[in-house]
Every structure is written in structure tokens, then in C-alpha cells.
Amino acid sequence: MDTSNPAAFVNAELLRMYVGRRVRAVIQVLRNDGGSIFGKSTDEQELVVKGHPPNPPTTFVEVIGIADSNRSIQAEIWTNFGDNFDVSSYNTICQLANGDFKHLFI
Amino acid sequence: MAKTVTPDAISVILANPCPDSSSDLPEIVVQVVDLKPTGKKYMFMASDGKMKVRALLQSTLASEVTSGNIQNLGLIRVLDYTLNDIPTKNEKFLIVSKCDAVSSALEAEYKADVKVEDSGNSLKQNQEMDVDVKTESPGIVLKPKQEVVTKSAAQIVHDQHGNAAPAARMAMTLRVHPLVSLNPYQGIWTIKVRVTGKGNMRTYRNARGEGCVFNVELTDEDGTQIQATMFNDAAKKFFDKFQMGKVYYISKGTLKVANKQFKTVQNDYEMTLNENSEVEEASNEATLIPETKFSFTPIDELGPFVNGRELVDVIGVVQSVSPTMSIRRKSNNETIPKRDIVIADETKKTVVVSLWNDLATSVGQELLDMADKSPVVAIKSLKVGEFQGVSLSALSKSIILVDPDTPEAKKLRSWYDSEGKDTSLAAIGNDLSLSNRNGARSMYTDRVTLSHITSNLSLGEDKPVYFSIKAYISTIKPDQTMWYRACKTCSKKVTEAVGSGYWCEGCQKNEDDCSLRYIMAVKVSDASGEAFVSVFNEQAEKMIGCTADELNEIKLNDGEASYQKKLKDATWVPHLFRVSVAQNEYNNEKRQRITVRAVAPIDYAAESKYLIEEMTKIKVSN
């Protein structure tokens, strides 16, 4: 397992702290353009994810890639997370993983 | 006529403060130390080499001193005396009314020798210097240690500074160790503790014969507590010595890991004292008032303690105080006063605390008078009962502090003032009495780890206790009897009838056919440990994925391998279980029996929420 470049759990608010670095986020798909997806982050903000989204994507998708601005991600890995997802729990995890428990992740 | 000090003479005197002058007094010969005149009388310290007591020679005896019969460092036989208490200090005072001079001044202050006493304090040094056992002369090295036992900590330090190398080795025994530092691997210690609880002497019988045992609860200055147990000879030796509320120096006890089944005190270790242990009353130490150490349980976490042996501490804001009630005790028809108070904490739950006797009348009244100010109370050592779901009851050793000056109290006060007093608070009992009735209320009430159940064997002693657990099935043994033949109508066990068919005792008739119903032992594991649980038909069907009849078909028709695979497929699947825990007796041994009452699949969203809640409770220290 390659642990050399860990991806930080982010929502929209945390994304700006990791611009240029590797991140992972769960997005609710709003619009699918084929080359990118407009989605809603777990803290209810709009994000753009560029790359090759899965066909077809489920309602929720996890993306892992480089944050290229504080509102967009260049995704390398896409995973369909299904249509049922507890957004608030994930959001709390993002906050804990970057706050009190950061030492366990990065 | 002995010309030596009577061993334990002072103890004899202390045990018999007012002897009948005509009764046979045992031989009491003591050494006169620190003799000095006060007015027309003479005061001294009466010493038996081990202990000393302040003493006064009655004026009639003053002439014996002036004439030179009674000398400082000389020996006297006490023929008649009275032992009084000094009212302001916790000390005794001996008035010698009649005595004989036995010997003129000895060379030095007499210190009890190893050979003379059976449990002399000086043993430590002597054991190491075995060579010198024969010598009568008390080694000089013993002296500082002796003095320490009856002197204050300040004296100990003074003596240590005044001595060279020998003292250094003994320094470990001289210094009073805090209870929290004791462990089974360091045997050389002395503790200074107050007896805060004394059990009754109990007799028992086991494979090795009969015996008697009792235990005491000891608390030191820091508030740390430990339980000390004594068996047989040691029990008889120390039972009368240990008195509630008194302070003692104790050494030469042994420590072992506490048996969670029996402990009431928060300590990983428990102590055993044997006949070689030393217990000395600290006669001038009225100042050891142990600081009360609390370990608060939030009200919404009281569930798992219901009907258990472990005592809890709580802190909360007083919501209401009842008037005094008179309760008649069933055992002896005695009436005792009782008062109920309701407290609330930041978990937004309330609980009833019952106060009895003095607590009801004194603190209870105080709380009633200030109830409108919603005071904060911190209470230590409460028993958790199941009246109305959860109820707390005070014991004679419970301690109540009103509006204590502690950070928890301040936090509670500010919570209450800002939001608590306006929010709706629910009784914790409601959550629990519901779940106990239905047995399968919610998979999140009374959520515990497996180790919480397996480490407390007294759970469910009188009535079964219910918990929720999340665990993985770790083993289902294929070669166990996992079903029984059951009546198709009433599900009771049937027996093979004479001829063909089956007889059902419950329905009182013969049936041609029966069904198989699961009754199996399954091993489950979670992060804290593992346990065996019993599972009945409905739950087992969910876990295996087929009925007992179907599984039997697989076993008979498809072969052993397919049957085992079916069981293997059920392994390492996580479930939420609702279990009941009860205590059974089996071959005179008490066994814990955990039975699954309900099983549910993991709802990951709900489980995540529960885990997040648990995580946020963990304080991360930087």
C-alpha cells in the first residue's frame, strides 16, 4: 500500500487549505458534462470535479485527486458511492480528520 | 521477677483503660523515658520498646523519683493506672497511681528486640543482617525506624537527615507512600490510611476447609482508596484493631490485581494482609482527612450500572427535594427517614437520588432550604438500582458536597444558567424501563462493549440485565447440538413417542412430525474482547440465513462440507445484538449467561452517528 501521498478528507471549506495537494471528497452529482461534474460538497457548496467521471455515476461519488483551486478538483480516481449516503456524518468526519484527530490521518 | 520491659505492654494498657484494681493485672513493666518534673508531679513517656504513651506519675509517687528509686530510663512495674483521652488531641494519657521500681536507669532507651517480639517493627533491617540474630543488644540502626512508627512525618524527615548510610536503606520503609503508588512488584512500603469502611467477619467453607475473612476500605490523604482483605489468623488478629474512622500505618501487605467481581472501590489492585503485616495506630494524627476524590458518571451513562455492585459518583443541579418520609425497614421494623432529590446534568437527563438517615435529615434539609437556588451537588458512592428504570441510593459511606468549588461544578453551573434551566429534561429511567420491558427497544440504549459484560460477573445476579452490543460472529462450532425437536404448534421440546411420532408435553398429544428449532452457542467478538452467547431460533435463523430444518437437510443430503460452509458464511458478519445477562449456578459455581434477545443488521448511517458521538466525547490531549 502506497502511503507516500495521502489524500486529505475535505469538504468545500477545507478544500482551500489543500490547494495543490492531494484530496478526497464525496460529492453529490448535480450536473454531468462528460468531462467534468458539477457537484455539491458535504457542506452544501458547489464544486467542480474534472476528469473522467464514471458512466453512469450514482448520486454520490467519491473523488480522489489534486485540488487545483479552492473550488475545483482534478480527479484521478472516481468511485460510485451509491444513492444513499449520510452526508452529515461524512462532513463531521472531515472536520475531525482535519482538526482534533489530524495526527491520525496526515 | 522480670527485669525487662514487658513486650507490648503499652498495647495491653491501651486495651484496658480502666482496670479493676482487684482484678489480676498482667505483668506490665515499662521503661520511663523523658522524665521531667511539672510542678509537684512528674511526667514521662512510658515505653515498651515499640510504642510510647504520655504518662504521669501520681503525686504520691513523686517521692520515688526524688529518692532515686524511679529514674529516667529506668523500669517500673505498673500496678494500678487509669488511661484517659486528651480531649483536644487524639491522644491517650496514662496516669500511674501505683507502681514498683524494677530497675535503675538502663544504658539507653530500650528498643524491642527481634527475639522478644513476634511481629517486631525492626524486622526489615534484621532480616538483612541475619548474622547478628543472637545479640541481645538492640542495634543502634533500629532506633530511627522505631521512632518513626509513632512520630509525625516531620519527625521522620528529621531523623532521616540525622542518619548516615543505614538510614538510607530504611528510608524506603520510613517514607509514607501514597496509595496510588503501590503495586505488586514493590513490597517495601508503609502507608498511612484511614479506615473508611469495615466489613463484617464472614465465615466460609471451601475445599481446603473452613475459614473466616473480613475486609476494610482504606483511604489515604490523596483520596485514593483500596480494599484490604484478611483471612483466618490475620483476620482474627486485625479485626478488633481496625476501627472505623481511625488512622493507621500499614506495611508488609501484598498487592494483587483486583477481582472486578467483588470490588466496590476504584483501584486496579487490592491488598491482602497476613499475620506478618504490620498495623500501627497513628495516635496523634487527627489531621489526615482524605480529600474526597470523585469519578463522575454522566446521568445518561448510568444504565449499565443498574443492579451492579460497582458504586458511582454523580454531580448535578438539584431540581427538586422531597419532604422527609418515614420508611419502615422490613428486616427489623425500624423506621428510618428518607428523602428523594432529583438532579439533572448536561446530558439533559434527570435521576432520583434517595438519601437515608442522617443524610436525609441534615444535608437533605439544607438542600430543601436552598432548592430555589438550584444548587450543584456532588455525591460519592451511590448504589444504582432499577426502580423506575434507574434510581440512585445513598449508603452510609456516601459523601455529599453542596456547591463544591471544583471545575466540574463550575461547568455544570454555567451550563445550567445558560441553557439547562430552560431546556426540557427527561428522566433517564424512562429510556431504560422501556427498553427493559420490551427487550429490543433500540440498539443504542445501554450500548456497551463485550468486556464490560464479561469483566463483571455479578451482573444480573438477581434479575437479568439488558444491553446492546455490536459484535462479529467469530465462531460457530459445527459439532454442537444446535437444534432441538420442537412441537409444530407450541414450539416446546418433544420426545420420541413409543411407536412412531413425537409426544408434546405442552399440547398433551402425539404428533407425526416435528420441526427443528435452533438453540446454539455462538462465539462473538468485538474490539474489547469475546464471549459465548446463546441464540434461539428466530435470531439464529437471521444469522445463519436458513431455518434449522433447512440446515439439517444440507447436513444430511449435501454433506458435511456444505454444512460447514453454511456456518462459515455466517462467520465474521457484524450484527447489532440485544442481549440479556444473568447469573446461573452450575455445579456450585456461578456462571454468567448471555442470551441474545434480538438481532439487527448494522445500519451504517446510524452506527456512524453513534461512533461520531463517542469520538467527540474523547478528549484529545495535545
Side-chain angles (χ1 to χ4, degrees):
Chain A
M1 188 169 149
D2 181 10
T3 56
S4 59
N5 199 2
F9 281 86
V10 297
N11 52 20
E13 191 189 319
L14 294 161
L15 185 59
R16 70 193 61 184
M17 289 176 11
Y18 289 94
V19 175
R21 291 163 64 180
R22 210 138 186 270
V23 296
R24 74 197 303 156
V26 171
I27 308 288
Q28 183 183 348
V29 177
L30 297 174
R31 263 187 342 269
N32 183 358
D33 269 352
S36 60
I37 276 190
F38 284 86
K40 192 158 71 151
S41 69
T42 53
D43 55 348
E44 314 283 307
Q45 314 257 19
E46 232 192 69
L47 295 180
V48 178
V49 188
K50 304 173 210 149
H52 303 290
N55 200 6
T58 55
T59 312
F60 292 94
V61 175
E62 189 204 39
V63 296
I64 303 175
I66 307 290
D68 56 4
S69 81
N70 60 1
R71 273 280 171 270
S72 62
I73 301 173
Q74 189 78 252
E76 296 150 18
I77 305 173
W78 302 73
T79 314
N80 274 339
F81 262 28
D83 301 319
N84 280 326
F85 191 75
D86 185 354
V87 170
S88 66
S89 290
Y90 187 89
N91 202 46
T92 312
I93 293 294
C94 283
Q95 290 163 343
L96 291 172
N98 285 288
D100 279 343
F101 297 97
K102 191 166 181 176
H103 56 283
L104 297 178
F105 290 85
I106 305 286
Chain B
M1 282 229 280
K3 285 229 173 166
T4 52
V5 170
T6 316
D8 291 327
I10 302 298
S11 304
V12 169
I13 293 174
L14 291 174
N16 191 0
C18 292
D20 218 351
S21 55
S22 58
S23 69
D24 289 348
L25 265 186
E27 172 100 331
I28 303 176
V29 175
V30 297
Q31 184 179 30
V32 172
V33 177
D34 288 339
L35 183 64
K36 40 182 183 265
T38 50
K40 291 210 191 83
K41 301 191 213 167
Y42 285 87
M43 287 198 27
F44 65 100
M45 297 297 283
S47 163
D48 66 358
K50 231 168 85 168
M51 287 167 69
K52 287 186 196 167
V53 70
R54 216 176 274 288
L56 175 78
L57 283 178
Q58 204 148 45
S59 35
T60 44
L61 298 168
S63 52
E64 296 284 294
V65 180
T66 46
S67 68
N69 274 346
I70 298 180
Q71 299 174 358
N72 189 33
L73 295 185
L75 303 182
I76 58 170
R77 179 179 298 107
V78 180
L79 295 170
D80 198 7
Y81 66 88
T82 312
L83 188 70
N84 287 335
D85 291 349
I86 300 179
T88 45
K89 308 185 202 169
N90 198 2
E91 253 191 76
K92 299 284 183 197
F93 194 83
L94 174 70
I95 303 180
V96 178
S97 40
K98 208 163 150 215
C99 69
D100 273 348
V102 164
S103 153
S104 55
L106 301 184
E107 311 160 358
E109 195 178 331
Y110 173 72
K111 290 298 165 191
D113 196 358
V114 181
K115 305 197 73 183
V116 174
E117 294 174 338
D118 48 357
S119 64
N121 296 333
S122 50
L123 287 179
K124 193 105 309 145
Q125 191 62 16
N126 279 336
Q127 278 162 6
E128 284 159 350
M129 305 192 321
D130 238 346
V131 191
D132 276 337
V133 162
K134 287 272 186 240
T135 54
E136 276 296 307
S137 65
I140 304 165
V141 287
L142 299 173
K143 189 167 178 177
K145 186 173 191 298
Q146 294 286 1
E147 287 176 355
V148 163
V149 171
T150 52
K151 285 192 178 164
S152 65
Q155 275 286 18
I156 296 172
V157 170
H158 174 82
D159 287 334
Q160 279 186 332
H161 288 321
N163 283 298
R169 213 191 297 167
M170 285 184 291
M172 272 210 290
T173 44
L174 303 188
R175 197 176 349 125
V176 167
H177 288 64
L179 269 184
V180 74
S181 72
L182 295 184
N183 62 68
Y185 315 109
Q186 216 267 58
I188 304 177
W189 43 259
T190 303
I191 53 174
K192 186 167 137 194
V193 286
R194 190 184 291 272
V195 174
T196 47
K198 182 176 169 183
N200 292 326
M201 183 80 87
R202 302 188 304 274
T203 51
Y204 63 88
R205 192 183 297 236
N206 64 14
R208 286 175 287 201
E210 281 185 345
C212 57
V213 60
F214 85 102
N215 51 40
V216 287
E217 182 188 279
L218 306 169
T219 312
D220 77 351
E221 228 166 24
D222 302 324
T224 321
Q225 296 185 312
I226 194 167
Q227 181 171 291
T229 309
M230 284 137 281
F231 290 90
N232 300 319
D233 288 339
K236 290 183 200 135
K237 179 173 175 187
F238 292 123
F239 188 75
D240 291 323
K241 190 141 196 188
F242 277 126
Q243 288 173 44
M244 266 292 283
K246 288 207 170 171
V247 180
Y248 301 88
Y249 287 103
I250 302 178
S251 53
K252 299 204 195 126
T254 49
L255 283 147
K256 60 176 202 243
V257 175
N259 185 342
K260 286 205 171 57
Q261 187 179 353
F262 292 113
K263 74 166 182 177
T264 47
V265 147
Q266 283 259 31
N267 199 317
D268 293 331
Y269 299 117
E270 56 181 359
M271 190 186 299
T272 308
L273 301 177
N274 58 35
E275 310 98 80
N276 294 326
S277 305
E278 283 162 20
V279 174
E280 294 292 351
E281 193 177 327
S283 51
N284 54 355
E285 299 301 337
T287 50
L288 200 191
I289 298 162
E291 189 191 298
T292 313
K293 253 214 180 106
F294 290 94
S295 173
F296 296 116
T297 309
I299 295 181
D300 70 347
E301 287 175 23
L302 288 173
F305 291 92
V306 169
N307 282 339
R309 215 182 268 250
E310 204 175 326
L311 305 177
V312 298
D313 304 339
V314 291
I315 185 168
V317 181
V318 175
Q319 301 293 290
S320 67
V321 182
S322 78
T324 332
M325 303 170 265
S326 260
I327 306 288
R328 194 176 287 273
R329 207 205 288 267
K330 280 205 188 83
S331 53
N332 57 3
N333 257 351
E334 215 184 285
T335 41
I336 38 181
K338 175 190 176 193
R339 204 189 283 267
D340 282 339
I341 64 171
V342 176
I343 59 171
D345 71 2
E346 290 128 313
T347 63
K348 303 207 179 102
K349 295 280 181 226
T350 64
V351 69
V352 178
V353 182
S354 298
L355 306 175
W356 307 86
N357 291 319
D358 287 337
L359 288 176
T361 48
S362 61
V363 177
Q365 184 64 43
E366 198 187 312
L367 290 174
L368 181 64
D369 294 336
M370 54 186 315
D372 53 348
K373 297 201 202 73
S374 307
V376 172
V377 278
I379 315 179
K380 187 174 173 68
S381 308
L382 289 167
K383 208 160 91 130
V384 187
E386 56 161 5
F387 184 63
Q388 293 186 330
V390 181
S391 57
L392 297 174
S393 182
L395 304 167
S396 52
K397 66 170 170 173
S398 302
I399 300 177
I400 303 185
L401 297 181
V402 180
D403 279 331
D405 191 13
T406 62
E408 292 98 345
K410 291 201 180 77
K411 220 170 86 174
L412 202 56
R413 173 98 267 144
S414 63
W415 163 78
Y416 191 70
D417 289 338
S418 57
E419 48 170 297
K421 59 178 188 255
D422 299 317
T423 58
S424 56
L425 306 158
I428 182 70
N430 289 340
D431 298 341
L432 286 140
S433 48
L434 277 176
S435 65
N436 284 343
R437 273 204 297 272
N438 301 358
R441 202 79 255 357
S442 154
M443 288 302 185
Y444 292 95
T445 35
D446 311 315
R447 172 72 78 92
V448 293
T449 57
L450 278 175
S451 63
H452 177 96
I453 299 176
T454 54
S455 66
N456 188 353
L457 291 167
S458 69
L459 280 173
E461 241 177 321
D462 315 305
K463 276 174 67 177
V465 204
Y466 289 80
F467 297 108
S468 300
I469 54 174
K470 173 190 160 221
Y472 288 78
I473 296 175
S474 47
T475 319
I476 308 177
K477 276 210 252 209
D479 51 353
Q480 59 169 302
T481 309
M482 52 173 77
W483 45 64
Y484 65 98
R485 292 194 185 282
C487 168
K488 284 190 145 133
T489 328
C490 72
S491 294
K492 277 206 172 15
K493 184 170 172 188
V494 296
T495 48
E496 277 178 31
V498 181
S500 71
Y502 303 96
W503 168 256
C504 174
E505 194 64 45
C507 302
Q508 290 284 317
K509 59 191 195 47
N510 246 21
E511 295 283 345
D512 291 331
D513 213 7
C514 67
S515 61
L516 295 172
R517 288 178 68 82
Y518 284 119
I519 172 68
M520 67 165 76
V522 172
K523 197 168 187 201
V524 294
S525 305
D526 71 2
S528 73
E530 52 187 16
F532 275 100
V533 302
S534 304
V535 190
F536 290 108
N537 197 58
E538 282 73 29
Q539 290 76 39
E541 274 183 16
K542 286 189 203 165
M543 285 152 64
I544 308 274
C546 66
T547 65
D549 283 307
E550 285 165 358
L551 191 59
N552 192 31
E553 287 292 307
I554 295 175
K555 191 173 178 186
L556 297 174
N557 298 344
D558 299 342
E560 185 71 21
S562 301
Y563 161 71
Q564 290 202 15
K565 177 160 190 319
K566 193 88 179 138
L567 293 178
K568 203 160 158 227
D569 288 342
T571 317
W572 298 114
V573 177
H575 297 278
L576 294 175
F577 295 105
R578 187 83 186 143
V579 296
S580 69
V581 183
Q583 214 187 58
N584 285 350
E585 239 189 71
Y586 197 74
N587 286 348
N588 269 345
E589 252 182 59
K590 291 212 178 15
R591 297 266 206 92
Q592 186 179 68
R593 196 173 161 80
I594 309 173
T595 312
V596 170
R597 299 289 168 191
V599 65
I602 310 265
D603 172 351
Y604 286 97
E607 192 67 21
S608 300
K609 285 200 164 55
Y610 169 74
L611 288 172
I612 287 177
E613 212 182 282
E614 291 292 291
M615 281 193 273
T616 50
K617 282 188 199 165
I618 300 173
K619 273 194 232 129
V620 179
S621 53
N622 284 322

